[in-house]
Each structure stands twice: as C-alpha cells, then as structure tokens.
Amino acid sequence: MRINQNNVKVSVILPIYNQEKYLAKALDSLKSQTLKDIEFICVNDGSKDRSLDILTDYASKDNRIKIINQRNQGCGAARNNGLKLAQGEYVAFLDPDDTFAPEALEKLYAKSEKQKCDMLVFNFQRVDENGSILGCFNLKNKLQRFFNIEENRNFHWRDVKPRILCGMHPAAWNKFYRNDLIQKHRLHFAKSNLAEDNVFVIGASLNAKNIGYDSGCYYNYLIHDNSAIRSHSDKNFCIFKSIDAVKKLIQNMGLMEELQQEFDGYIFRFISYHIKQVVSTAKFKQVCEKLLTPYQNKMLNERYAANSKILPLLEALIAKKLKHL
C-alpha cells in the first residue's frame, strides 16, 4: 500500500529489540488499521535474532513501513530516533509484543480532531499469550476520586493534579499525541534501561493545554515472562535516571514547588511498583543488597529526602517481599 507522504495522519513508532516471536503479530495489527493514511516507523535497536528479517519482508510489501537500523542503545533512544522521522499530524507508540485494535487509530484521530486534543488518553487491556484478558486499565475509574472525567470534555493537568505524575499510567502507548506538541516542547525519552517513557509522558501531560479521554479499550498489552519489568536482572532497578529526568523536567518548568508532594508520591509508587513486579527468585536477594545502599546513601537521603517517610516504607516493602521468597 502507498500513501502520500505529505498527508500522513498518524506516525506509529515501534522500538524493536529481539522480538521475532511477537513482531509479525504487532505489524499485522498495524496493517489491519481501518485508518490508512499512516506510517510505521520501526527502529531496530541492534536485534540479534530475526527481527530485522521480518521487518524487511513486511517493508517490501508495504511502503508505509520505514526501518531505522541502529546499534543497541535502548528503547528510549530508539523512540527518540523514530520521532525525528515522524511526519504524521499525530504520533502513537506500539511495543513490538503488543497490538492495536483494528479501529484504534481511526477513532483516536477522529476524536482528537473533533476535540482539538493535544493528547488523548485511552484505556487498554492486559492479555496473556493465549489472548485471554487478564484485566483492564480504566482511566475514569483511576481518576474519579479527584476529577469527574468526561468523554466529550477536555481537561488540564491541574484538574487531576493529585495524580498527574502517575495517575494516567506512565506508559507512552496508551496515549495519542499531537506531533506539534512533541516538537514545540522537544519532548523526548530518557536514556535508561527501564521506564524511559516517564519523562516523555509527564512532559506531554504538563505541556498539553487540552487533554482528552476515550473510554475505548484500543491497546492489548501482552504479559509474558520476558517482559522488561519481570526480568530477574538487577538492571530493572536502574530507574534513577528516569526519576532524575522527571525531576529536571519539573524544575525546568518552574513547577517543583507546586508539585513537590506529587513528586514524592511518584517516587514511592514508581519504585515500589518495580519491586513488586520482580519475579520471586533468589536473585531478588542480591538485587536488594545492591538496591538498599543507593536508596540510603544517595538516591533518597541526598536527592529525594523531602518526604522522610519514603525510605522506611520502601524498606518495609522489600522486607515483606523477601519473606515470601
């Protein structure tokens, strides 16, 4: 299929590293989109499996697929390089082991155009490898304590201030972004091994004048043992670069005083979430030994000491986890 490169409505960016098992299904979900004026920017991040061969085969049959080859630099760098080529009016993200519903991009584009959204947040469901639904993220339910979110009314980040740093889910892929917003504010992903999208999503949320909501469940998030957050590696805890990037963003926007309480809560929820996600294994004990010292000596006491309750809460959480190994 060919499209007019000057009339791209949506650019979808896929960062890819060793995803030969799932990649074809992800690409098929893009080719099946009911919206046709779209481009797929696939960034091969130094894959060592057949991912590049699969990409090349699909690209030979569909010129909407663009391939960027780079040495392994991580998901954040891959997405940043994809953004440099994005020509669409809007930008969406897809991880190569996940899929979009066929009508996803058409409905998100139409709603964003109608409501003049800078960013549109939508729901997603967690699925296993058999396609069974494990659960659903519903933004309205998440925010109803703080704000009565409505389908046809945009909101601003101050409307949901108590949960702005993590209430809309920190992933980049359950949101639909106006490309002008990204370019104007130079939004980018952190160069870290995990949670690289936090600074991008929070930057978009804080800079968007109009945030929309769509109750549609358009994204299928695959849960499997090779997911980054379920890895046994202590690299899972190299998350402080992401925290630092968020802190720098908030400071540069002159919002740290206003958002200090929210930032403290973000740190605790963010770190505790990743602790809980680690697979129960003896490796976790080694991880904790490496983890506690940075918490106590550098990361919390020196950088994030504004809320003195964070460290004991984390220590209690880790102690509880160790008891169940």
Side-chain angles (χ1 to χ4, degrees):
M1 177 175 292
R2 295 188 176 276
I3 61 171
N4 184 344
Q5 297 299 319
N6 295 320
N7 191 33
V8 178
K9 292 180 177 177
V10 182
S11 298
V12 185
I13 297 174
L14 289 79
I16 299 152
Y17 178 71
N18 293 347
Q19 289 290 347
E20 64 178 4
K21 181 177 180 180
Y22 307 105
L23 182 55
K25 190 172 182 179
L27 293 172
D28 285 339
S29 84
L30 292 178
K31 291 184 65 176
S32 300
Q33 289 299 301
T34 54
L35 183 68
K36 301 305 180 183
D37 297 330
I38 51 181
E39 64 177 2
F40 317 132
I41 302 175
C42 303
V43 187
N44 179 46
D45 188 35
S47 296
K48 298 177 181 178
D49 63 0
R50 293 188 57 256
S51 293
L52 181 58
D53 292 336
I54 295 170
L55 287 174
T56 302
D57 180 58
Y58 271 77
S60 69
K61 302 170 185 176
D62 192 331
N63 83 317
R64 296 177 299 173
I65 298 175
K66 301 176 181 178
I67 301 174
I68 299 176
N69 253 320
Q70 64 178 45
R71 62 179 176 80
N72 182 245
Q73 301 174 57
C75 184
R79 284 174 170 158
N80 287 337
N81 286 334
L83 283 172
K84 294 175 184 177
L85 290 187
Q87 299 182 59
E89 300 171 50
Y90 295 88
V91 173
F93 295 94
L94 176 68
D95 281 356
D97 49 354
D98 300 335
T99 58
F100 273 123
E103 74 281 7
L105 299 181
E106 182 174 17
K107 289 192 173 182
L108 294 170
Y109 178 84
K111 188 176 184 69
S112 295
E113 285 288 280
K114 181 179 179 180
Q115 291 185 205
K116 307 300 180 185
C117 301
D118 296 314
M119 182 172 80
L120 181 61
V121 190
F122 52 94
N123 298 328
F124 66 90
Q125 59 190 16
R126 301 174 183 88
V127 300
D128 63 19
E129 297 199 47
N130 295 319
S132 299
I133 299 174
L134 304 176
C136 180
F137 173 89
N138 186 299
L139 181 65
K140 186 176 180 66
N141 292 343
K142 292 288 184 181
L143 297 181
Q144 63 183 357
R145 283 180 53 203
F146 309 100
F147 182 72
N148 184 27
I149 191 170
E150 297 178 11
E151 277 270 7
N152 299 316
R153 182 164 68 94
N154 294 334
F155 61 97
H156 185 264
W157 71 263
R158 284 191 172 89
D159 293 326
V160 293
K161 180 175 177 287
R163 297 304 304 276
I164 186 56
L165 299 187
C166 55
M168 291 190 290
H169 198 279
W173 36 255
N174 73 315
K175 301 164 187 77
F176 195 69
Y177 311 85
R178 189 177 293 275
N179 203 352
D180 287 346
L181 175 74
I182 296 172
Q183 303 305 324
K184 178 180 179 180
H185 298 286
R186 300 180 180 179
L187 302 181
H188 63 280
F189 292 83
K191 295 180 180 179
S192 59
N193 293 322
L194 195 67
E196 71 292 330
D197 42 6
N198 284 24
V199 68
F200 180 90
V201 171
I202 292 172
S205 302
L206 294 177
N207 281 292
K209 293 181 179 179
N210 296 302
I211 304 174
Y213 167 64
D214 193 311
S215 61
C217 202
Y218 298 128
Y219 194 97
N220 301 307
Y221 174 54
L222 179 64
I223 301 296
H224 57 90
D225 289 338
N226 292 327
S227 297
I229 60 172
R230 296 181 62 83
S231 168
H232 298 194
S233 172
D234 58 359
K235 289 182 179 179
N236 270 359
F237 294 94
C238 298
I239 54 180
F240 299 107
K241 287 183 179 179
S242 292
I243 293 175
D244 284 342
V246 171
K247 181 179 181 180
K248 184 177 180 181
L249 167 73
I250 296 173
Q251 288 176 330
N252 289 344
M253 293 185 69
L255 295 172
M256 183 53 79
E257 183 177 354
E258 181 176 357
L259 291 174
Q260 183 67 66
Q261 184 175 348
E262 286 73 23
F263 183 62
D264 292 339
Y266 160 76
I267 294 169
F268 175 72
R269 285 189 290 268
F270 178 44
I271 297 176
S272 61
Y273 171 78
H274 287 285
I275 291 173
K276 292 177 182 178
Q277 293 300 318
V278 173
V279 176
S280 295
T281 171
K283 177 72 173 176
F284 186 77
K285 294 182 179 180
Q286 300 174 27
V287 169
C288 286
E289 290 174 0
K290 296 181 180 181
L291 185 63
L292 286 173
T293 298
Y295 279 170
Q296 294 166 332
N297 296 337
K298 293 183 179 180
M299 300 306 174
L300 292 176
N301 286 346
E302 294 179 9
R303 300 189 197 181
Y304 314 124
N307 187 337
S308 60
K309 296 179 180 180
I310 294 177
L311 182 57
L313 286 171
L314 288 172
E315 289 177 328
L317 180 65
I318 292 171
K320 183 179 180 180
K321 178 86 175 184
L322 288 172
K323 283 183 180 181
H324 291 86
L325 290 176

